[in-house]
Amino acid sequence: MTDAAARDFADEVEILADADRVWALLSDPATMPKASPELFSVTRLSRHRGPFRVGERFVGWNRRKAVVWPTVSRIVTVEPGRELSWHTTTSGAVWTYTLTPTGETTILRETRQMPDGAPRFATWFGNTLLGGMANHADELETQVSATLAWIKEHAER
């Protein structure tokens, strides 16, 4: 794996809505399959309903052209109105959403970090089926903007 594939990246957007409104969208497990260009479904591995809880595990179902694959994640932080993060154990990525209220608006930041790099299987999978790990990281970085734009649009309605 190259450094380009394991790089961290982030983007942010200013949303004309209060942090509670943004949090309501962000913490709803149904939001990400709608907002993400790659993720099309989430299967929770507990009977819990409602917002995610720390320690909860879920399977994210992803699609890129003809390739479909699951990822397994565990919720790391849930700080209502402030931060939501999960560690995708199958890819090694930690995805974090941070909300910063600024009066009448909220800054929403999405970050992907690769603290331990990608596991061997994820590297093989990315290189074999997704056009290379660095290429897929480039796609994911672009998709962060699309995800944030979707959340912004729906929070401002």
Side-chain angles (χ1 to χ4, degrees), residues 4-10 93-96 110-114 136-137 140 144:
R7 74 184 184 285
D8 299 342
F9 51 79
V94 176
W95 293 92
T96 304
E110 182 178 359
T111 305
R112 183 196 81 158
Q113 296 177 301
M114 298 291 291
H136 190 236
L140 289 173
V144 165

Side-chain angles (χ1 to χ4, degrees), residues 47-68:
R47 294 179 187 221
H48 176 72
R49 296 295 165 243
F52 283 122
R53 298 184 303 188
V54 171
E56 183 176 353
R57 292 178 45 217
F58 66 93
V59 177
W61 296 94
N62 302 281
R63 178 182 301 120
R64 180 177 176 269
K65 299 179 183 175
V67 181
V68 175

Side-chain angles (χ1 to χ4, degrees), residues 49-133:
R49 296 295 165 243
F52 283 122
R53 298 184 303 188
V54 171
E56 183 176 353
R57 292 178 45 217
F58 66 93
V59 177
W61 296 94
N62 302 281
R63 178 182 301 120
R64 180 177 176 269
K65 299 179 183 175
V67 181
V68 175
W69 71 98
T71 56
V72 178
S73 298
R74 182 183 53 80
I75 301 294
V76 177
T77 60
V78 176
E79 297 177 26
R82 296 187 58 214
E83 184 174 287
L84 175 67
S85 70
W86 60 86
H87 177 234
T88 303
T89 56
T90 47
S91 72
V94 176
W95 293 92
T96 304
Y97 290 86
T98 306
L99 292 81
T100 305
T102 59
E104 295 181 10
T105 67
T106 302
I107 303 295
L108 178 61
R109 182 173 183 79
E110 182 178 359
T111 305
R112 183 196 81 158
Q113 296 177 301
M114 298 291 291
D116 301 317
R120 193 174 305 197
F121 179 78
T123 300
W124 173 85
F125 186 88
N127 287 336
T128 305
L129 298 173
L130 299 178
M133 289 294 285

Side-chain angles (χ1 to χ4, degrees), residues 32-59:
M32 281 305 129
K34 296 173 187 172
S36 170
E38 186 171 277
L39 179 73
F40 68 88
S41 183
V42 170
T43 302
R44 297 172 86 170
L45 299 178
S46 71
R47 294 179 187 221
H48 176 72
R49 296 295 165 243
F52 283 122
R53 298 184 303 188
V54 171
E56 183 176 353
R57 292 178 45 217
F58 66 93
V59 177

Side-chain angles (χ1 to χ4, degrees), residues 12-41:
E12 65 184 30
V13 65
E14 185 173 19
I15 301 173
L16 187 55
D18 65 27
D20 290 340
R21 172 71 182 134
V22 177
W23 180 258
L25 276 170
L26 188 62
S27 65
D28 181 352
T31 295
M32 281 305 129
K34 296 173 187 172
S36 170
E38 186 171 277
L39 179 73
F40 68 88
S41 183

